[in-house]
Amino acid sequence: MNETQPPESQRTWLDQVAEDLLGDRLPKHFGTGWYSGLLGLFLSVGSFLAVLVFHFPQWLTLSETAPRYPVETMRALLALAIMAGYLFSAINVILRPSKRLGLTGLVFCLAAVLGGGSNVEVGSGDALFRVGIDWFILNIVLLALIFVPLERALPLHRDQGIFRPGWTTDGIYFLSSHIAVELMTFFTLLPATVVAQTVHAQVSGLNPDRLPLVVEVFCVMLVADLAQYWVHRGFHRIRWAWPFHAIHHSSRQLDWIAGSRLHVVDIIVTRGLTLTPLLVIGFSQQALYIWLVIIAVQATLNHVNIRFDVPGLNQLLVLPRFHHWHHAVEPIDRNFAVHFPWIDRLFGTFHLPQRDWPPETGIAGDPVPPEFLRQLTWPFRR
């Protein structure tokens, strides 16, 4: 078992503020009300945000997702979330001497109910711009409810807590990448679409959309992984590009949210150059959407703090142990593939010692500042 403790320099002032606001020095094991308080606050804040989304869908929902919501189903889920948030917050108040988490959760529950609760009217109108609060809520609820319990039940590093050093920085990256998804999609698709429209006519005879969907999705994954392999490797090898990608490698502890730590330049360049060959070849929209779901799940899974690896399968598909070695302090510049590890074998960058996990992840010397705003500007000052 690897139990390397990251340096306290990774703890940010925002980590400390969050700890002062929500934490206490009492025991935090199961039965003390700590976990019920966290879950209650999580569900209560999510419910309050969901009520805001109902009120202002023209501002707070993505143009792609808004028309697809089954409104009555979402109302039922909202009602369930409000009730569960109230229940878990009340349990915290009953069990725990420090009532801070539970009372905060109850306040957000009350705000959600006063805002209309599950009977809130759906707003209408036009907006100059949209932020993806709905996309943020869906992703944070789904991913946290799946991966946080798994990381507690099957941890790779048992001494790594939910609120490890730097978690607020990664939380800001997660929030900003989801609420600004339409803006980043625009900057990603614009150059890729221009190139695709110019070049596609020369290769349109391929017609990949005539393939069975399963085969087409595999082809999308293969083409995308080959393209992203070289983009990813370029970010490691090109001097001016590395500082942007170094932000992603600056996490000393990996978990389900650590993969969100990506500089905006890294996101736009990587996604744009990866999408270009997919659009040029002309894969169907359905296959591309399925691939986007696969890569989102795999990108989260590959960073989790879970001792999960399947011998044999780890030679065919990228699993957490393979990608953790990509984040190792030593050796560096290994395991660039996102889907298929044998691509690294093909180009001589494969590294997967039998059964071993990296003893330490991050960048030697911790050159990257830990705070979000300083990380955004740091590559430009190199």
Side-chain angles (χ1 to χ4, degrees):
M1 182 71 65
N2 303 314
E3 302 293 348
T4 302
Q5 182 68 28
E8 281 300 306
S9 61
Q10 289 284 307
R11 188 175 296 279
T12 68
W13 67 269
L14 195 55
D15 289 343
Q16 188 60 53
V17 169
E19 184 175 327
D20 292 341
L21 288 175
L22 302 177
D24 56 51
R25 299 182 183 277
L26 299 173
K28 296 179 173 60
H29 57 269
F30 183 78
T32 63
W34 169 249
Y35 286 109
S36 61
L38 287 179
L39 186 55
L41 180 61
F42 177 74
L43 291 171
S44 301
V45 172
S47 299
F48 174 69
L49 291 176
V51 169
L52 291 181
V53 169
F54 269 95
H55 273 296
F56 308 106
Q58 71 275 25
W59 292 94
L60 305 180
T61 61
L62 300 182
S63 54
E64 283 289 323
T65 57
R68 304 174 188 271
Y69 288 126
V71 176
E72 294 309 312
T73 301
M74 302 308 291
R75 288 187 186 279
L77 291 174
L78 176 56
L80 183 63
I82 292 174
M83 289 188 290
Y86 177 85
L87 176 63
F88 284 114
S89 296
I91 291 173
N92 173 270
V93 171
I94 294 170
L95 293 180
R96 199 164 184 83
S98 173
K99 317 295 184 185
R100 197 177 300 169
L101 280 176
L103 290 177
T104 305
L106 291 175
V107 167
F108 275 101
C109 270
L110 179 62
V113 171
L114 292 178
S118 60
N119 295 317
V120 60
E121 294 293 328
V122 180
S124 60
D126 298 320
L128 297 175
F129 62 90
R130 290 174 178 263
V131 292
I133 296 295
D134 63 328
W135 190 237
F136 168 73
I137 295 172
L138 287 174
N139 277 270
I140 193 73
V141 169
L142 181 62
L143 294 175
L145 290 181
I146 291 174
F147 288 110
V148 171
L150 285 174
E151 289 187 339
R152 294 296 88 204
L154 304 168
L156 172 63
H157 302 286
R158 293 190 178 277
D159 60 348
Q160 179 174 315
I162 298 173
F163 303 116
R164 41 81 181 170
W167 74 272
T168 56
T169 297
D170 294 333
I172 295 173
Y173 276 107
F174 188 93
L175 172 64
S176 60
S177 64
H178 282 78
I179 65 175
V181 65
E182 285 207 354
L183 184 63
M184 282 195 281
T185 299
F186 171 78
F187 285 111
T188 298
L189 283 177
L190 181 61
T193 302
V194 170
V195 173
Q197 290 174 343
T198 304
V199 181
H200 177 61
Q202 302 173 23
V203 296
S204 58
L206 294 174
N207 293 322
D209 54 344
R210 294 182 180 179
L211 295 169
L213 184 59
V214 173
V215 177
E216 187 184 5
V217 170
F218 173 79
C219 291
V220 171
M221 293 173 66
L222 179 59
V223 173
D225 213 5
L226 285 168
Q228 189 157 326
Y229 173 91
W230 287 107
V231 176
H232 193 175
R233 190 167 175 176
F235 267 106
H236 277 252
R237 298 294 180 87
I238 300 172
R239 177 177 295 184
W240 66 263
W242 165 245
F244 293 101
H245 189 62
I247 303 300
H248 182 62
H249 282 264
S250 64
S251 293
R252 295 300 302 271
Q253 290 180 304
L254 301 180
D255 59 12
W256 69 276
I257 202 171
S260 302
R261 187 181 293 202
L262 287 163
H263 196 281
V264 62
V265 172
D266 191 350
I267 294 174
I268 291 174
V269 172
T270 299
R271 291 181 184 175
L273 293 179
T274 301
L275 280 171
T276 298
L278 300 179
L279 298 179
V280 167
I281 293 172
F283 290 107
S284 69
Q285 190 176 65
Q286 185 180 10
L288 291 175
Y289 277 134
I290 293 173
W291 168 70
L292 288 172
V293 172
I294 292 172
I295 197 169
V297 172
Q298 201 162 8
T300 303
L301 177 65
N302 290 339
H303 294 89
V304 293
N305 180 37
I306 298 174
R307 181 170 285 275
F308 172 68
D309 193 48
V310 182
L313 184 62
N314 59 19
Q315 303 296 313
L316 300 175
L317 291 174
V318 170
L319 296 178
R321 190 164 70 92
F322 175 90
H323 193 70
H324 276 232
W325 276 108
H326 175 69
H327 282 267
V329 173
E330 291 183 356
I332 61 172
D333 299 342
R334 297 290 186 272
N335 299 2
F336 296 105
V338 176
H339 298 303
F340 305 119
W342 43 266
I343 290 178
D344 280 278
R345 281 196 183 276
L346 185 63
F347 298 114
T349 52
F350 183 90
H351 182 79
L352 193 64
Q354 189 174 11
R355 296 193 182 93
D356 290 340
W357 293 75
E360 192 177 9
T361 55
I363 305 173
D366 294 321
V368 179
E371 295 84 6
F372 173 77
L373 291 178
R374 291 178 64 198
Q375 287 185 359
L376 288 184
T377 60
W378 182 75
F380 300 101
R381 295 184 281 107
R382 299 299 296 161

